[in-house]
Amino acid sequence: MVKFSRQLEGQLIPEWKEAFVNYRQLKKLVKKIKISALRSPAGPSSDRHTFLGFSLPFLTARFRSSNHNHSAAQEDEESLAQVELVHSSENEVKEFFEKLGEELEKVNSFYMTKETEFCERGEILNKQLEILLDVKRVLHEHSRRRRNSRSFDGAAFSRLSSASSFSESAAESEEQQTENGSPVGDEMVAALERNGVSFIGAPRSKTKKGGKPRAASMRIDIPATTPGRTISAVTSMIWEDLVNGQRKDGSCGDYISRKKIQCAEKMIRGAFMELYKGLGLLKNYRSLNMVAFRKILKKFDKVSNQQASQRYLETVKGSHFSISDKVVRLEDEVESIFTKHFASNDRKKAMKFLKPQQRKNSHAITFFVGLFTGSFVTLFCVYAILAHLCGIFSSVESGYLRTVYPVFSMFALLSLHIFLYGCNLFAWRSTRINHNFIFEFNSNTSLKHRDAFLICTCFMTTVVGAMVIHLLLKSTGVFPPHIDAIPGILLLLFIGMLICPFNICYRSTRYSFLRVMRNIACSPLYTVLMVDFFMADQLTSQIPLLRHMEFTTCYFVAGTFKTHGYETCTRSQQYKLVAYIISFLPYYWRAMQCARRYIEEGYDMNHLANAGKYISAMLAAAIRWKYAVAPTPSLLATVIISSTMATLYQLYWDFVKDWGLFNLTSKNLLLRDNLILQNKTIYYVSMMFNLVLRLAWIESVLKLSLGPVENKMVDFLLASLEIIRRGHWNFYRLENEHLNNVGKFRAVKTVPLPFRDIESDG
C-alpha cells in the first residue's frame, strides 16, 4: 500500500506545492512525540495513567483566526483546547499543534486568495459575455433592417465604424444616419455602455462642422494573444488606416469583421475553460488538504493514545476552505453558461471542452517502438557490413561520401534531436514538470515520450532501410543514372508526410510544428511565445542540419545527382553566400525575438542582453568562417578572442539566466534554493558537461589533418554533441521555468479578454 505522503506528492498540483499542508513536516513532529513517549520513565504502557492537563491558547488563537464563519466551532474551542498529554512529550505536542495551526492558516489564506481571484474572474467573464451577446443582438437587428431596406429602395450603406465588434456588418451613410433617428451606431454605443465600456467620439456627444453628427468611433481591443493574431492585427490596422481610416466625416475608427467576432468568441470561450479548470484544481486542493489533516490527526491519536482527532477535525472542517461553497456554485454556473452559449445546450458536448478525457497510453505504441528499434539496429549492422565490403569509404569512392553523407546525416541529426526530446518528455513527466502548461500544449494531443520514441525509431528505420537499398543498387549496377535519386525521394516523402492534411501520423503535432516554424521565420512580426523561442534555441544547435538541407536541395534541384557533379553545389559563389546566410539565420531569428519581447514586455533590459548573446555568437561564427577560408595569424588571434568572449557570455546566460544557478546566496552552493532533482551532484556534473561541449569551436581552430572520411565523421560527431548539449540544456531550462511558475502559483493560464474599457477623449 502506497504511503499517503507519496500519494499526496503524486496528486498535488505542482505549481501550488508550497501552499499545500506540509504533511511530511507534521509527520516528523508526530514521530518526535512517539520517540519522546517511548523514552519516558513509565514507558508507553503507562501513558494512560500519567496525564497532565495542558491548555493550548496558541491553538485556540490560530483556529479562531482561521475560522471566520463558524461561530459554533468558536464556542467549543475552550473544550477543544484541553487535551491530556504525557508529561514527557509536552514540548513536542506543543510544537506539533503550533505547526498544525500554521499549516491550517496557510491553507485557509491561500484558498481565500484563489477563491477571490476566481470569483472576480468569473464576474469579469460574465460582463464580457453580456457585451458579446449585446453586440451580436444589435448587429443582427441592424443586418435584418439593412436587408429589408435593400429590398425596398436598394439604398447604399457604408461600413459601420467600430474597432472590435464581432460580425461583418455595414453602417448607413451620414445622410441616412441623419434622417433616421436611431442609427445602429447609437444602439451599439448604448448597448455597450450599459455594460461599462467607454467610447471615443460617441455620435451623441460629438458633431461635425455643419451640424451633422459624427459616426460612432468606439474602440474595444482584441489583444494579440497568439502569433497568428499579431500579424493579422497589424495588417488589418494598416489597411484600415490607409483605405478606410479617413472617412468623409473626418472620423477614424476600427471596423467590424466576421473574423473578429469569431476570434473574440473563441477568446471568451477559452477564458471560461481556463476558469473551470482553475476551479477544479481548487476543489482538488481543498479535498487533498482535508485528507491530509484527517490523516495526520489520526496519526497523532495513535501515538499519544488519545481520541482527539474527531474533536480537532471538527475545527478543521469549520475552517473557511472547508465550509465555503463559492467554488462549487461558481463551477456549476460556469458549466451552465458554457453549455448554453458555447455548446448549444448540449451538456455532453460542453463537457468535452470543460473536462477533456486524457489520452490513454497504448501498448501498441510500446510494441512498435521495440519493433522499429530492433529493425533499425539490424539494418544498420547490414549497412555497415555492406559498406565495408564495397569499400565505399575509401579514397577512391569518396564521391559517395560527398553526395550521400549530407543527405543521410541530415536525417540522423533530426532523429537524434527527436530522441532527446522524447528523453526530455520522460524526464519532465517523472519530475512533474508541467511542460504542457508552459508550452500551452493541449494535453490531449501533445506528444508523450513514447510517441517521440516511435517517431524517432520509425524515422531512422526508414532512413537506414533506404541507405541499404541505395547501397545494394549501387553495388549491383542496376539503374545507375537514377540511383542517387533515392535520398531525394526519401526527402520528398518526409516533406509530404509533414504537410499531409489527413488526420494521420500526429497531424496536430505536425501542424503545430509548422506554425511555430512560420512564427520563427517571420520574426519579429509575430508575438513571441515560450514555445517559439524554445524552438528557435533548438535551431541554433541545428546549423549543420540546415547546411545539409541546403546542399541536398541544391543537389537534387540542380539535377547534379545525374552527373555526380559534387562541385556544382560547393564551389559556386551563390551557394557559398546562401550557406553563409543559413549559418546565421537561427541567431538572427533569436535576436529578433528578443527585440520583440523587449518592446512587448515593458522594455526589460534582460531581453536586450539576451539578444546581445546571439549577436556575439554571430560575430564569432563569422570570424571563424573567414578564418576557415583564409587562415592568417591575425585572424587566428581574433577567432580565439571573439569565440572565447562569446562562449563566456553563453555560459553565463546558460547557468544564471536559463538555469537559475550560480546563486551566491543560495543554501546550496552555486545552485538554487529550490531544486527538483534530489541529487545535487547532477547539477555540478551538468554544468561541467555544458562547459566542455560549449568549447567545441576549438576543433575549427586546431585544423586537424585527417582524411576525407575522418573529417566527415568528426563533423558529424561535433554536430551530434551539440544536439546532445541542447537536449541536456532543455531539461534545466524548463525546470527553471517551472519553478518560476511555482513561485507565482500559476497553474492555469490567464486568457486575455477582447473587451477593454477606454477612457473618453473628453
Side-chain angles (χ1 to χ4, degrees):
M1 185 176 179
V2 180
K3 292 184 177 180
F4 177 73
S5 56
R6 293 185 179 179
Q7 184 181 355
L8 180 63
E9 287 287 335
Q11 294 183 2
L12 59 76
I13 301 141
E15 291 79 8
W16 295 352
K17 182 178 180 179
E18 297 300 322
F20 277 82
V21 59
N22 194 340
Y23 185 81
R24 288 186 181 273
Q25 183 64 28
L26 291 172
K27 189 176 177 182
K28 289 179 181 179
L29 294 176
V30 171
K31 189 174 182 180
K32 287 176 64 177
I33 297 173
K34 180 179 180 181
I35 294 173
S36 178
L38 291 174
R39 289 177 179 175
S40 63
S45 60
S46 61
D47 284 347
R48 292 183 178 273
H49 305 285
T50 312
F51 293 122
L52 173 67
F54 186 73
S55 178
L56 298 177
F58 56 89
L59 182 62
T60 303
R62 289 189 182 278
F63 281 0
R64 183 182 293 116
S65 64
S66 302
N67 186 3
H68 301 287
N69 302 317
H70 199 58
S71 57
Q74 289 180 0
E75 295 173 359
D76 251 2
E77 281 178 349
E78 287 299 327
S79 59
L80 290 175
Q82 300 294 331
V83 61
E84 294 178 332
L85 303 169
V86 180
H87 185 275
S88 60
S89 60
E90 177 180 330
N91 293 331
E92 287 78 6
V93 172
K94 180 178 180 180
E95 183 182 3
F96 169 76
F97 280 109
E98 282 182 341
K99 184 64 177 177
L100 189 67
E102 291 174 1
E103 293 300 309
L104 181 59
E105 185 177 359
K106 179 183 71 174
V107 170
N108 266 330
S109 177
F110 180 81
Y111 186 87
M112 286 188 288
T113 301
K114 285 297 177 182
E115 182 184 65
T116 303
E117 176 186 333
F118 288 142
C119 288
E120 291 176 354
R121 189 70 175 174
E123 292 177 2
I124 294 172
L125 284 178
N126 285 333
K127 204 73 171 178
Q128 293 278 320
L129 184 61
E130 290 175 7
I131 297 173
L132 173 65
L133 296 176
D134 278 343
V135 171
K136 293 173 73 173
R137 179 184 57 79
V138 171
L139 292 177
H140 176 74
E141 291 295 325
H142 172 64
S143 179
R144 183 179 58 82
R145 290 201 306 268
R146 186 184 61 177
R147 288 194 299 269
N148 293 338
S149 178
R150 281 181 175 177
S151 63
F152 288 111
D153 56 7
F157 293 92
S158 62
R159 297 183 65 188
L160 174 64
S161 174
S162 167
S164 59
S165 182
F166 297 94
S167 67
E168 187 177 9
S169 65
E172 299 177 40
S173 62
E174 291 179 2
E175 293 76 13
Q176 192 79 15
Q177 289 179 3
T178 306
E179 294 174 2
N180 297 336
S182 59
V184 69
D186 287 336
E187 295 181 14
M188 185 170 296
V189 170
L192 295 179
E193 282 187 341
R194 285 196 302 271
N195 290 288
V197 181
S198 303
F199 301 94
I200 301 174
R204 57 183 176 275
S205 60
K206 294 194 177 184
T207 57
K208 185 186 172 184
K209 292 181 180 180
K212 294 181 179 180
R214 294 179 60 177
S217 178
M218 61 183 178
R219 184 174 297 277
I220 311 172
D221 296 333
I222 299 181
T225 57
T226 63
R229 290 182 195 148
T230 303
I231 193 168
S232 175
V234 172
T235 306
S236 176
M237 180 181 65
I238 294 175
W239 174 258
E240 290 168 2
D241 286 344
L242 293 177
V243 179
N244 302 316
Q246 297 295 333
R247 298 171 46 175
K248 292 181 180 180
D249 59 0
S251 65
C252 298
D254 297 327
Y255 288 78
I256 298 171
S257 67
R258 189 177 300 276
K259 185 176 181 180
K260 284 184 177 180
I261 187 171
Q262 294 172 351
C263 176
E265 190 167 356
K266 183 178 179 181
M267 292 167 66
I268 296 177
R269 182 185 66 183
F272 272 109
M273 291 169 60
E274 288 299 319
L275 176 60
Y276 191 85
K277 178 182 177 182
L279 294 172
L281 293 178
L282 196 56
K283 286 176 61 180
N284 185 42
Y285 172 83
R286 176 174 61 184
S287 61
L288 285 177
N289 280 292
M290 196 67 209
V291 174
F293 280 116
R294 185 182 297 113
K295 290 280 186 180
I296 201 62
L297 286 171
K298 284 185 178 180
K299 283 185 177 294
F300 172 78
D301 277 357
K302 184 177 180 181
V303 168
S304 62
N305 289 328
Q306 302 298 313
Q307 297 298 324
S309 63
Q310 291 299 324
R311 303 168 70 186
Y312 284 105
L313 195 59
E314 289 178 7
T315 302
V316 176
K317 287 181 178 179
S319 301
H320 179 83
F321 85 97
S322 178
I323 64 174
S324 177
D325 63 343
K326 290 182 180 179
V327 171
V328 176
R329 288 190 283 108
L330 182 57
E331 188 179 44
D332 293 339
E333 182 182 350
V334 171
E335 185 177 321
S336 175
I337 291 174
F338 195 92
T339 303
K340 179 179 179 181
H341 297 287
F342 300 104
S344 303
N345 289 319
D346 187 346
R347 188 178 184 279
K348 186 176 180 180
K349 179 181 177 182
M351 298 314 294
K352 288 182 179 180
F353 289 98
L354 296 176
K355 290 184 178 180
Q357 296 294 326
Q358 295 294 328
R359 184 163 57 96
K360 297 181 179 179
N361 293 327
S362 173
H363 295 293
I365 294 179
T366 306
F367 169 77
F368 281 112
V369 168
L371 176 65
F372 285 126
T373 301
S375 302
F376 162 69
V377 173
T378 303
L379 288 172
F380 186 80
C381 293
V382 171
Y383 174 77
I385 295 171
L386 290 176
H388 177 71
L389 294 177
C390 297
I392 61 172
F393 293 124
S394 64
S395 59
V396 179
E397 290 291 341
S398 60
Y400 175 87
L401 191 65
R402 291 179 178 179
T403 56
V404 177
Y405 160 78
V407 180
F408 289 120
S409 63
M410 174 182 65
F411 291 115
L413 294 175
L414 183 58
S415 298
L416 177 61
H417 214 134
I418 296 174
F419 172 77
L420 291 174
Y421 180 66
C423 294
N424 285 142
L425 291 175
F426 177 77
W428 292 331
R429 179 176 177 271
S430 301
T431 54
R432 303 206 67 202
I433 294 176
N434 195 351
H435 65 280
N436 286 330
F437 172 69
I438 295 173
F439 289 139
E440 299 185 19
F441 289 162
N442 187 342
S443 58
N444 293 326
T445 58
S446 62
L447 288 182
K448 308 293 190 297
H449 65 277
R450 291 186 180 89
D451 299 318
F453 291 150
L454 177 62
I455 295 172
C456 171
T457 53
C458 179
F459 203 72
M460 282 309 300
T461 300
T462 306
V463 171
V464 178
M467 292 171 65
V468 171
I469 295 173
H470 177 265
L471 196 56
L472 287 173
L473 293 178
K474 188 176 183 65
S475 61
T476 56
V478 180
F479 306 116
H482 306 289
I483 289 175
D484 288 337
I486 292 178
I489 295 173
L490 186 65
L491 180 62
L492 292 176
L493 176 65
F494 281 112
I495 292 176
M497 182 59 68
L498 182 63
I499 62 177
C500 176
F502 302 109
N503 192 15
I504 56 174
C505 299
Y506 304 101
R507 183 179 66 175
S508 60
T509 300
R510 291 187 284 110
Y511 279 24
S512 295
F513 172 76
L514 292 176
R515 283 194 296 269
V516 171
M517 294 302 298
R518 177 203 62 186
N519 300 341
I520 295 172
C522 296
S523 299
L525 299 178
Y526 285 75
T527 296
V528 184
L529 304 179
M530 173 69 185
V531 66
D532 296 331
F533 66 76
F534 188 85
M535 180 61 73
D537 278 325
Q538 312 305 305
L539 291 180
T540 60
S541 295
Q542 285 284 16
I543 291 177
L545 183 145
L546 298 177
R547 293 286 299 274
H548 294 329
M549 287 183 62
E550 181 208 9
F551 173 82
T552 304
T553 303
C554 175
Y555 187 70
F556 290 103
V557 170
T560 54
F561 67 93
K562 297 179 181 179
T563 60
H564 303 282
Y566 172 77
E567 292 79 7
T568 304
C569 291
T570 55
R571 295 184 178 178
S572 64
Q573 292 299 321
Q574 294 84 354
Y575 176 87
K576 292 181 179 179
L577 178 61
V578 174
Y580 183 80
I581 295 173
I582 286 177
S583 299
F584 299 142
L585 266 181
Y587 296 113
Y588 166 78
W589 289 331
R590 194 65 189 90
M592 291 299 100
Q593 287 181 337
C594 293
R596 174 72 184 238
R597 295 185 70 193
Y598 168 74
I599 295 174
E600 287 189 341
E601 298 183 17
Y603 301 98
D604 187 353
M605 293 301 297
N606 284 324
H607 295 309
L608 284 186
N610 197 12
K613 181 187 71 170
Y614 296 102
I615 294 173
S616 67
M618 290 174 62
L619 294 176
I623 297 172
R624 287 199 298 269
W625 181 82
K626 183 67 176 178
Y627 173 75
V629 175
T632 62
S634 59
L635 271 179
L636 176 60
T638 308
V639 165
I640 295 175
I641 294 173
S642 62
S643 297
T644 301
M645 296 299 294
T647 301
L648 292 175
Y649 201 158
Q650 293 163 356
L651 288 173
Y652 168 79
W653 207 269
D654 286 347
F655 297 152
V656 178
K657 297 296 185 179
D658 291 340
W659 293 4
L661 305 177
F662 268 86
N663 185 357
L664 300 179
T665 61
S666 173
K667 62 183 180 181
N668 303 309
L669 181 62
L670 298 181
L671 303 178
R672 310 184 210 96
D673 287 328
N674 298 321
L675 301 174
I676 290 183
L677 301 179
Q678 297 294 329
N679 192 348
K680 300 176 185 177
T681 307
I682 297 177
Y683 291 92
Y684 298 112
V685 173
S686 297
M687 286 191 287
M688 293 302 299
F689 183 73
N690 190 72
L691 170 63
V692 172
L693 294 185
R694 279 288 189 187
L695 299 175
W697 57 268
I698 296 177
E699 186 275 336
S700 63
V701 178
L702 295 178
K703 290 289 183 180
L704 301 176
S705 57
L706 302 173
V709 176
E710 289 76 7
N711 278 327
K712 295 294 184 184
M713 293 299 104
V714 169
D715 291 342
F716 180 78
L717 176 62
L718 292 176
S720 300
L721 288 176
E722 171 58 22
I723 294 174
I724 292 172
R725 187 199 68 80
R726 179 60 63 181
H728 172 259
W729 176 92
N730 288 341
F731 174 81
Y732 296 102
R733 176 65 183 89
L734 221 66
E735 178 197 20
N736 191 35
E737 188 70 23
H738 173 78
L739 291 175
N740 290 334
N741 287 336
V742 170
K744 299 176 182 177
F745 299 108
R746 294 185 299 186
V748 292
K749 64 180 180 180
T750 303
V751 180
L753 300 174
F755 296 101
R756 295 184 181 179
D757 295 343
I758 302 176
E759 297 180 0
S760 179
D761 287 350

